[in-house]
Amino acid sequence: MAILEVEHLEKRFGGTPVLQDVSFSLEQGQTLAILGSSGSGKTTLLRCLNALEQPDAGCIRVAGETLFDGGVRTAQHGGRLPFGLVFQAFHLFPQYTVRENVTLAGRLQAKRRPDYRANRRAILQRIDDEAVRLLGQVGLLAQQDRYPGQLSGGQQQRVAIARAL
């Protein structure tokens, strides 16, 4: 039996659709990651699941109990769901640029290499090249010289993802 079922969930803010026909189910013991670009509705979906936002349409069931159906909240769960929601904490270093945040661990590890002194320039170039590739993958190459405080929350999360990769 699914611990969480979401069917055809929709949410609009004014005339702007944020969630459109979102459906999924989650079985006991499964883990679900919600990924998407900044502004794609990830937080809105989580807020709807936690009853912090009222969806406009769709159905939400938790452990077989219908909590929301077709625009109407049908059951109260006291604000607590039988599963955890984990928001990614990115912990970027505010004094470093985006690129410096992504390369920091590699640069520190490189200093431990026995060939670091002899090949410093080539090693650091490889680390920088990899950072550029990763920032391109997460759509932040143009922001590589900005500081975390100059980015949106979603952009900061993508920097943290690039750093983790």
Side-chain angles (χ1 to χ4, degrees):
M1 170 187 221
I3 189 78
L4 173 64
E5 296 173 271
V6 175
E7 296 175 350
H8 310 292
L9 202 66
E10 296 189 10
K11 176 66 181 172
R12 293 180 169 275
F13 290 107
T16 305
V18 178
L19 301 176
Q20 298 180 62
D21 197 24
V22 175
S23 297
F24 64 91
S25 67
L26 187 64
E27 299 293 324
Q28 180 76 35
Q30 285 185 316
T31 301
L32 175 69
I34 302 169
L35 304 173
S37 61
S38 181
S40 65
K42 301 176 301 290
T43 300
T44 299
L45 173 60
L46 295 175
R47 290 178 60 83
C48 287
L49 295 176
N50 268 322
L52 298 172
E53 290 285 346
Q54 180 84 9
D56 296 319
C59 182
I60 301 172
R61 282 186 216 84
V62 175
E65 180 183 7
T66 301
L67 301 181
F68 177 84
D69 193 5
V72 178
R73 187 136 322 258
T74 58
Q76 296 299 318
H77 53 75
R80 298 188 59 99
L81 295 177
F83 52 86
L85 302 175
V86 178
F87 292 88
Q88 180 178 349
F90 21 91
H91 302 294
L92 300 177
F93 293 100
Q95 71 273 27
Y96 296 140
T97 65
V98 166
R99 187 167 25 90
E100 289 169 335
N101 266 280
V102 173
T103 62
L104 181 62
R107 288 175 177 270
L108 292 173
Q109 284 184 325
K111 290 180 180 181
R112 296 180 182 165
R113 290 176 55 159
D115 65 335
Y116 180 73
R117 290 185 111 175
N119 299 310
R120 179 179 182 270
R121 180 169 279 151
I123 291 168
L124 294 179
Q125 185 62 54
R126 280 194 298 271
I127 292 168
D128 280 340
D129 291 346
E130 179 68 2
V132 167
R133 185 185 72 76
L134 292 167
L135 289 169
Q137 277 188 324
V138 297
L140 290 176
L141 190 54
Q143 285 79 25
Q144 68 177 323
D145 294 322
R146 291 189 177 174
Y147 291 88
Q150 297 173 306
L151 304 176
S152 72
Q155 289 172 321
Q156 290 180 36
Q157 275 190 322
R158 288 186 279 153
V159 172
I161 290 168
R163 180 181 59 190
L165 293 172

